[in-house]
Amino acid sequence: MAERFEIRFSGAGGQGLITAGIILAEAASIVEGKNAVQSQSYGPEARGGASKSEVIISDGPIDYPKATIVDACLAMTQEAADKYASGIKDTGVLLLDSEFVKREPQGNYKIYKFPIMRTAKEEVGREIVANVVALGAMVALTDAVSREAGEKAVLSRVPPAFIELNKKAYNLGFEKVKALMD
Amino acid sequence: MAKKTALVQGNEACAHGAVYAGCKFFAGYPITPSTEVAEVLAAELPKVGGSFIQMEDEIGAMAAILGGSLTGAKALTATSGPGVSLKQELIGYACIAEIPCVIVNVMRGGPSTGMPTGPGQSDVMQARWGTHGDHAAIAVAPESIQEIFTETVRAFNLAEKYRMPVQILFDEIVGHMRERIEYPEPGELEVIDRAKPDVSPEDYKPYDSSKGDIPPLASFGSEYRFHVTGLNKAADGFPTTKPDLVDAEERRQIRKVEANRKDIEKNEEYMTEDAEVLIFAFGSTSRSARYAVNELRKEGIKAGLFRPITLWPFPEERIAALGKQVKGMVVAEMNLGQMIYEVERVTKGSCKLEGAFRVDGEPITPAQIMEKVKEVN
């Protein structure tokens, strides 16, 4: 783990990206015992608009709690990509939902994409778990936490009836990105 | 046994800290970015035999916690700047009637409605002088989730010990961000309960200072009966205009804080021993400042951080000494210059002084502070 690893989840308000950030921070700080800070910014609206959630992970203390230069960014919508896919380092990565982000942001970082919402809807069965598909994908892409720690954090947050659904969503996201990386 | 840990928001940590401190009564009116304090206490207080009430507005909420506290309950309200503006009259009442209570202000921008979801640190002077008249003030300004918990406990301790309102100031950034907290075990942190009268109900005087500057407070509804008023009053609680009594009471109420600065003040210093330039920062801004100190040190600049955990009373003695040690100071605050006036007052021109200010709803970055440090180095 680098001194400071910064991850940004962005999308439309209501897509669960803040929850995805919280789960990643729990995986890092509660499951793996590293330091993590999760923060978010959102407007006054409850749904819609662009929303972002940032997670900083470090082995040492985390002073400044917001992103400085982003290691990995997720953008689920065009508006989020336009607004938040910036400040990504040259060696960083950007994950996009290929169906919703048609104009790709320009940068020296590496771009990965697959239809995240469609994967959730058609392959997992529920659009609502798109954030967990995205989380699995971001864990695969970054190694910010181990695959197991991420899954444990996801499952500790969901009611028993939804464990299988979320497990499937997380692992499908993870596998999809691993296939893209090969 | 391993301690119970969780990833929680600052607002949640504040609510749990209040329960740990023995808070039994919360009255409030929801306002962003403080609402989670109320949400958690609405769920937690009934479990410990406490009460939660959502009042009709912020003024009613402040009145309610004063009433609750007078019956003997440790009482809390939580709001943001606009709410604190409304509470000012009753904060003054709490000062003169010496009613212990804790007021949480999760700061956003202002004035007025401002930017509800954006952070700010522009209520620091309000916490000192918001209510009219001469009065002492205690305000704490934690910078992390763990510290919000411990400072909430300490705020209750100070309120109960010194029989006065205490404000907890943090901002939207620490209020809403999440970090790991290790919940202290019961007994691990000191919890202070208010002193009770040791005289019979017939002999009780609520402001009798013959045994010290902080007279014990009996509980309303017990066998002790006494008068509470916002007027200047004598030892028995009834109004007086006798100059010597009024003067003595005013001075006592300020002295109870001034004479106990060592017990109340709490600061953190980071790399100040050999510092040639000092950053003065509090709350979430001090996290940017610490990051800046580390970066500046890598560049060979001997920077240090002074972080007041108690903003009020202001750490006069230490800042005066540091002002003589360093070439320059930078005061970083999410406003357009408030605490910098205190620093200026105390350092009396002994070093260069610059401010790193910001009011656009974004945090002050380490880079912004570093730039200012280089101007005074």
Side-chain angles (χ1 to χ4, degrees):
Chain A
M1 180 61 46
E3 204 176 305
R4 210 181 143 93
F5 195 81
E6 306 187 348
I7 299 174
R8 179 182 292 153
F9 295 86
S10 71
Q15 278 187 317
L17 280 325
I18 290 176
T19 306
I22 294 169
I23 295 172
L24 179 64
E26 280 176 340
S29 77
I30 306 297
V31 182
E32 292 193 339
K34 295 173 189 159
N35 291 307
V37 175
Q38 180 271 337
S39 68
Q40 59 224 339
S41 87
Y42 56 93
E45 63 277 86
R47 280 189 178 72
S51 107
K52 73 166 170 177
S53 172
E54 289 174 348
V55 181
I56 320 280
I57 301 173
S58 174
D59 288 327
I62 298 165
D63 295 324
Y64 187 58
K66 302 276 183 176
T68 52
I69 179 149
V70 177
D71 293 273
C73 180
L74 163 77
M76 298 280 284
T77 64
Q78 188 67 55
E79 190 186 352
D82 295 343
K83 203 168 167 186
Y84 296 127
S86 60
I88 303 167
K89 61 170 68 154
D90 286 352
T91 52
V93 287
L94 172 64
L95 175 66
L96 302 172
D97 187 315
S98 52
E99 285 196 350
F100 291 92
V101 185
K102 296 296 181 195
R103 286 189 315 279
E104 288 180 9
Q106 299 301 309
N108 291 326
Y109 44 81
K110 200 153 186 208
I111 294 181
Y112 292 88
K113 52 192 171 178
F114 73 96
I116 299 170
M117 286 293 275
R118 185 148 59 84
T119 300
K121 193 177 176 182
E122 293 175 5
E123 296 184 50
V124 189
R126 293 284 297 276
E127 213 167 26
I128 198 167
V129 292
N131 62 337
V132 178
V133 174
L135 176 65
M138 291 296 276
V139 169
L141 208 51
T142 59
D143 270 333
V145 296
S146 72
R147 181 176 187 167
E148 295 71 28
E151 186 181 86
K152 198 172 169 193
V154 169
L155 300 186
S156 70
R157 272 216 156 235
V158 298
F162 297 99
I163 282 185
E164 282 313 312
L165 183 77
N166 281 279
K167 211 171 180 170
K168 194 173 166 191
Y170 176 81
N171 286 297
L172 201 56
F174 192 95
E175 298 295 346
K176 290 251 173 197
V177 159
K178 277 288 175 212
L180 292 175
M181 290 169 80
D182 287 340
Chain B
M1 204 180 90
K3 279 191 195 172
K4 195 180 159 224
T5 63
L7 186 85
V8 297
Q9 289 190 314
N11 287 342
E12 296 172 72
C14 177
H16 290 296
V19 172
Y20 186 99
C23 174
K24 287 288 187 291
F25 183 56
F26 178 95
Y29 186 80
I31 181 171
T32 301
S34 76
T35 305
E36 295 83 2
V37 179
E39 281 178 359
V40 173
L41 286 171
E44 294 299 320
L45 280 178
K47 294 181 196 165
V48 294
S51 299
F52 170 97
I53 185 167
Q54 179 173 322
M55 294 297 287
E56 74 277 17
D57 61 23
E58 285 87 347
I59 304 171
M62 189 67 207
I65 67 161
L66 297 189
S69 176
L70 281 171
T71 70
K74 291 185 182 179
L76 174 76
T77 188
T79 186
S80 188
V84 184
S85 293
L86 291 167
K87 293 175 191 294
Q88 289 303 340
E89 180 190 0
L90 285 153
I91 291 173
Y93 193 93
C95 290
I96 197 164
E98 296 179 84
I99 305 170
C101 59
V102 178
I103 301 133
V104 176
N105 178 356
V106 188
M107 294 183 284
R108 62 196 220 188
S112 191
T113 311
M115 189 160 38
T117 56
Q121 293 182 314
S122 51
D123 303 344
V124 290
M125 280 295 168
Q126 183 195 44
R128 178 65 191 90
W129 294 115
T131 195
H132 67 277
D134 284 307
H135 59 277
I138 300 177
V140 300
E143 66 156 10
S144 69
I145 275 53
Q146 189 76 40
E147 193 173 73
I148 285 176
F149 187 100
T150 54
E151 282 304 295
T152 300
V153 175
R154 207 168 71 92
F156 273 98
N157 287 346
L158 293 170
E160 298 293 324
K161 185 171 181 183
Y162 294 104
R163 208 182 144 175
M164 62 184 287
V166 172
Q167 297 196 38
I168 305 173
L169 302 176
F170 47 94
D171 57 72
E172 187 277 334
I173 295 174
V174 257
H176 277 162
M177 78 182 204
R178 289 176 177 82
E179 268 179 333
R180 182 178 52 228
I181 186 170
E182 286 187 358
Y183 288 111
E185 299 289 339
E188 192 178 329
L189 300 181
E190 183 186 27
V191 170
I192 297 175
D193 295 319
R194 75 183 64 163
K196 290 289 170 198
D198 54 1
V199 296
S200 66
E202 296 73 41
D203 296 329
Y204 178 63
K205 288 180 181 153
Y207 303 98
D208 175 11
S209 57
S210 60
K211 289 180 191 157
D213 280 342
I214 307 144
L217 179 59
S219 298
F220 245 72
S222 70
E223 64 273 32
Y224 289 83
R225 300 179 66 176
F226 56 100
H227 187 71
V228 181
T229 174
L231 289 160
N232 285 103
K233 75 278 175 206
D236 61 5
F238 286 97
T240 183
T241 53
K242 285 185 186 156
D244 56 332
L245 290 182
V246 171
D247 183 78
E249 275 291 281
E250 280 268 339
R251 288 177 192 278
R252 174 180 64 78
Q253 291 193 6
I254 287 165
R255 190 171 61 237
K256 68 183 180 181
V257 169
E258 284 301 318
N260 292 292
R261 277 174 168 271
K262 283 214 159 55
D263 181 48
I264 299 166
E265 278 182 23
K266 194 173 165 189
N267 309 303
E268 186 207 342
E269 294 188 26
Y270 180 64
M271 296 203 172
T272 52
E273 292 111 66
D274 64 341
E276 290 172 359
V277 56
L278 187 83
I279 306 164
F280 177 102
F282 54 93
S284 68
T285 305
S286 59
R287 301 175 69 122
S288 305
R290 201 178 292 102
Y291 189 105
V293 168
N294 290 336
E295 292 299 311
L296 289 160
R297 289 267 168 177
K298 284 180 206 163
E299 294 178 24
I301 296 170
K302 287 187 174 171
L305 166 69
F306 182 90
R307 178 171 76 91
I309 299 170
T310 35
L311 284 178
W312 308 113
F314 186 76
E316 296 174 351
E317 216 178 287
R318 188 63 189 139
I319 291 297
L322 285 165
K324 288 177 188 136
Q325 174 190 320
V326 300
K327 285 186 279 185
M329 281 195 200
V330 171
V331 177
E333 45 186 340
M334 275 188 282
N335 55 48
L336 290 177
Q338 296 195 15
M339 293 310 290
I340 194 170
Y341 291 116
E342 284 293 297
V343 175
E344 189 176 24
R345 175 177 71 82
V346 167
T347 53
K348 296 184 170 69
S350 63
C351 62
K352 283 188 267 185
L353 187 59
E354 279 289 336
F357 307 139
R358 191 162 192 179
V359 288
D360 62 356
E362 295 296 323
I364 295 176
T365 61
Q368 186 186 349
I369 297 172
M370 287 166 69
E371 197 178 305
K372 285 286 172 188
V373 165
K374 286 170 187 170
E375 282 177 32
V376 298
N377 186 37

